[in-house]
Amino acid sequence: MEVLNKPDSLSAAAPVAPDVNRRGDIIRAAGRLFRQKGYNGTTIRDIADAVNMRSGSPFYHFKSKHEILFSVTTEGIEVMLKNLEMVIANAQPARECFESCMTTHMNYLLGPGRDFAWVMLYESRLLDPTERAIVHRMSARYEAVFSGVLDRLAASGDLLDASTIARKLILGAMNWSAQWYDDKGASNPQAIAQHLCALVLTEKN
Amino acid sequence: MEVLNKPDSLSAAAPVAPDVNRRGDIIRAAGRLFRQKGYNGTTIRDIADAVNMRSGSPFYHFKSKHEILFSVTTEGIEVMLKNLEMVIANAQPARECFESCMTTHMNYLLGPGRDFAWVMLYESRLLDPTERAIVHRMSARYEAVFSGVLDRLAASGDLLDASTIARKLILGAMNWSAQWYDDKGASNPQAIAQHLCALVLTEKN
DNA sequence: CCTACCGATCGGTAGG
DNA sequence: CCTACCGATCGGTAGG
């Protein structure tokens, strides 16, 4: 009885259930669950429950559970890459540019991107080879751009080591913070970024 | 027909199947599989296959799959903690002590402890609260000992920041290396440890 | 430690 | 997007 879902007593009222972007709802819910319980520890039923659907319905929006994982993952890496490129676009001195990159990375990783970035960092290895290759290509692009930032730092004398190993170590220090950072703790993303900058950069004059 | 398994033609020969430490075999195989496929992506049948058992037999040695995860995890953190305490026991100047700690950590993490340490770092969160609390207590002890090393560095002027955040960042740079380090690549654990030391310590005179 | 098995749950689908 | 369902697989157990 479709008519029951079309109340005519309140014309021009907001729709009861705004059907737009249920796909986005699923991705957000899946991201949170994948971070909390892992990809293989999360069932389609968990995800469906979280968005008030029945267990078969997510497959109307995604053809498989893997596709949901892939969507969560690409959301994470795409936003991080876009953020980084925006920071780079602002022409800043090497040191300030680096500090902006770090702060931006931490703000997303520990803030609005917590679930997406986590899944990208820790669960995307469970994708099958084709999908994983796509994710890997985007991560490689992120690293390549970041590498340019480090090269400028080395040229200006603000960083003693801009090697591949140094790059991996710096990114690792940041990414690992997703494991211990506490929303409700005393610290915050900016402070962590500043500590890391001070730790790896040469003393300012 | 037990007699078939007892060849009498070769008295004093090594036993065909040295039944000792099948438990250790299971832990090692499980560690490798948990790292490759994740805890929830690994089945009891995978583990049993890897050690040439039938699917029900691991439960003769462990009362549940969780107990296997717990055993792999504690093996990892126990060895790391023991290694760290051995390094500390050698009275060395602060800077050399730190460098030894880093090298020892990396050698285990990327070498013989690759599977155990990985599972401890990335899969132990799937344990239930009681078991997780035990693991957390041991990790906290590791951090506390490491914290003492950093305090000495700060006192000698070799490190500018020995705060909790700095400690987490340094440990994170190391632990993340488990994600990208390649056995067959050009680098090695000692080199990585040295890069990290150079990155965070003040310049040597 | 194996054989034989169980109940529960899982990802996914047909049809509407 | 729901209902109703399926085949496969999972962790675990009884009995030897």
Side-chain angles (χ1 to χ4, degrees):
Chain A
M1 302 295 179
E2 287 185 344
V3 74
L4 289 178
N5 293 325
K6 291 179 182 173
D8 52 2
S9 57
L10 292 168
S11 63
V16 175
D19 257 16
V20 288
N21 221 6
R22 292 297 274 155
R23 203 169 193 276
D25 293 341
I26 293 173
I27 291 177
R28 274 185 293 275
R32 179 171 42 80
L33 289 163
F34 290 166
R35 175 165 77 85
Q36 289 170 347
K37 318 204 294 177
Y39 173 72
N40 281 315
T42 302
T43 68
I44 288 290
R45 285 160 178 82
D46 292 333
I47 297 170
D49 282 352
V51 294
N52 268 302
M53 283 179 179
R54 306 299 158 183
S55 70
S57 301
F59 295 107
Y60 173 76
H61 299 277
F62 297 89
K63 72 175 210 293
S64 67
K65 191 184 172 192
H66 260 82
E67 192 180 299
I68 300 179
L69 175 58
F70 182 66
S71 298
V72 174
T73 300
T74 51
E75 168 72 18
I77 182 64
E78 270 171 12
V79 173
M80 295 190 77
L81 188 50
K82 201 189 59 187
N83 287 348
L84 181 65
E85 283 171 339
M86 276 176 51
V87 171
I88 302 292
N90 302 345
Q92 290 183 96
R95 198 172 178 111
E96 283 73 15
C97 178
F98 177 71
E99 290 167 347
S100 298
C101 291
M102 304 292 269
T103 303
T104 302
H105 188 104
M106 297 305 289
N107 275 337
Y108 183 70
L109 176 69
L110 305 181
R114 184 126 207 209
D115 298 330
F116 302 119
W118 176 289
V119 171
M120 192 259 291
L121 294 172
Y122 299 109
E123 301 293 326
S124 66
R125 70 198 177 94
L126 300 174
L127 290 168
D128 42 49
T130 310
E131 301 170 318
R132 204 168 48 224
I134 296 172
V135 174
H136 182 264
R137 217 169 298 138
M138 299 175 76
S139 310
R141 171 139 182 76
Y142 189 96
E143 278 208 43
V145 175
F146 191 67
S147 194
V149 177
L150 297 189
D151 287 341
R152 287 182 62 208
L153 276 180
S156 63
D158 289 305
L159 181 69
L160 300 176
D161 181 0
S163 66
T164 298
I165 290 180
R167 185 176 71 244
K168 299 276 193 190
L169 290 171
I170 292 170
L171 286 168
M174 289 197 288
N175 290 341
W176 182 260
S177 71
Q179 303 261 0
W180 55 265
Y181 176 69
D182 178 11
D183 277 307
K184 293 164 285 296
S187 191
N188 65 284
Q190 289 95 327
I192 297 170
Q194 284 161 12
H195 274 265
L196 185 51
C197 290
L199 206 55
V200 302
L201 295 179
T202 56
E203 289 183 67
K204 213 182 300 182
N205 304 329
Chain B
M1 302 295 181
E2 286 185 347
V3 74
L4 289 177
N5 291 326
K6 291 178 182 174
D8 52 1
S9 58
L10 290 168
S11 62
V16 174
D19 256 18
V20 288
N21 221 6
R22 291 296 275 155
R23 202 167 193 276
D25 293 342
I26 293 173
I27 290 177
R28 273 185 294 275
R32 180 170 43 77
L33 290 163
F34 289 165
R35 176 165 75 85
Q36 289 170 348
K37 317 202 295 176
Y39 172 72
N40 281 314
T42 302
T43 68
I44 287 290
R45 284 158 179 82
D46 292 333
I47 297 169
D49 282 352
V51 295
N52 268 302
M53 283 178 180
R54 305 301 159 182
S55 69
S57 301
F59 294 106
Y60 173 76
H61 299 278
F62 297 89
K63 72 175 212 293
S64 68
K65 193 186 172 191
H66 260 81
E67 191 181 301
I68 300 178
L69 174 58
F70 182 66
S71 298
V72 174
T73 300
T74 51
E75 168 71 17
I77 183 63
E78 269 170 13
V79 172
M80 295 190 77
L81 188 51
K82 200 188 63 188
N83 286 348
L84 181 64
E85 281 171 339
M86 276 175 52
V87 171
I88 301 293
N90 300 345
Q92 289 184 98
R95 198 172 178 112
E96 283 73 14
C97 179
F98 177 70
E99 289 167 348
S100 298
C101 291
M102 304 291 269
T103 304
T104 301
H105 188 105
M106 297 305 290
N107 276 337
Y108 183 70
L109 177 69
L110 305 180
R114 185 126 206 209
D115 298 330
F116 302 119
W118 176 289
V119 171
M120 193 258 293
L121 293 172
Y122 299 110
E123 302 292 326
S124 65
R125 70 197 178 92
L126 300 174
L127 291 168
D128 40 49
T130 309
E131 299 170 320
R132 205 169 48 225
I134 296 171
V135 174
H136 183 264
R137 218 168 297 139
M138 299 175 76
S139 310
R141 171 138 182 75
Y142 189 95
E143 277 208 44
V145 174
F146 191 67
S147 194
V149 178
L150 297 189
D151 287 340
R152 286 183 61 207
L153 276 180
S156 63
D158 289 305
L159 181 69
L160 299 177
D161 181 0
S163 66
T164 299
I165 291 180
R167 184 176 72 242
K168 298 274 192 191
L169 290 170
I170 293 170
L171 286 168
M174 289 198 286
N175 290 341
W176 182 260
S177 71
Q179 303 260 2
W180 56 266
Y181 176 69
D182 178 11
D183 277 308
K184 293 165 286 294
S187 190
N188 65 286
Q190 289 94 329
I192 298 171
Q194 284 161 13
H195 273 265
L196 185 51
C197 289
L199 206 54
V200 302
L201 296 179
T202 58
E203 288 184 67
K204 212 182 303 180
N205 304 331

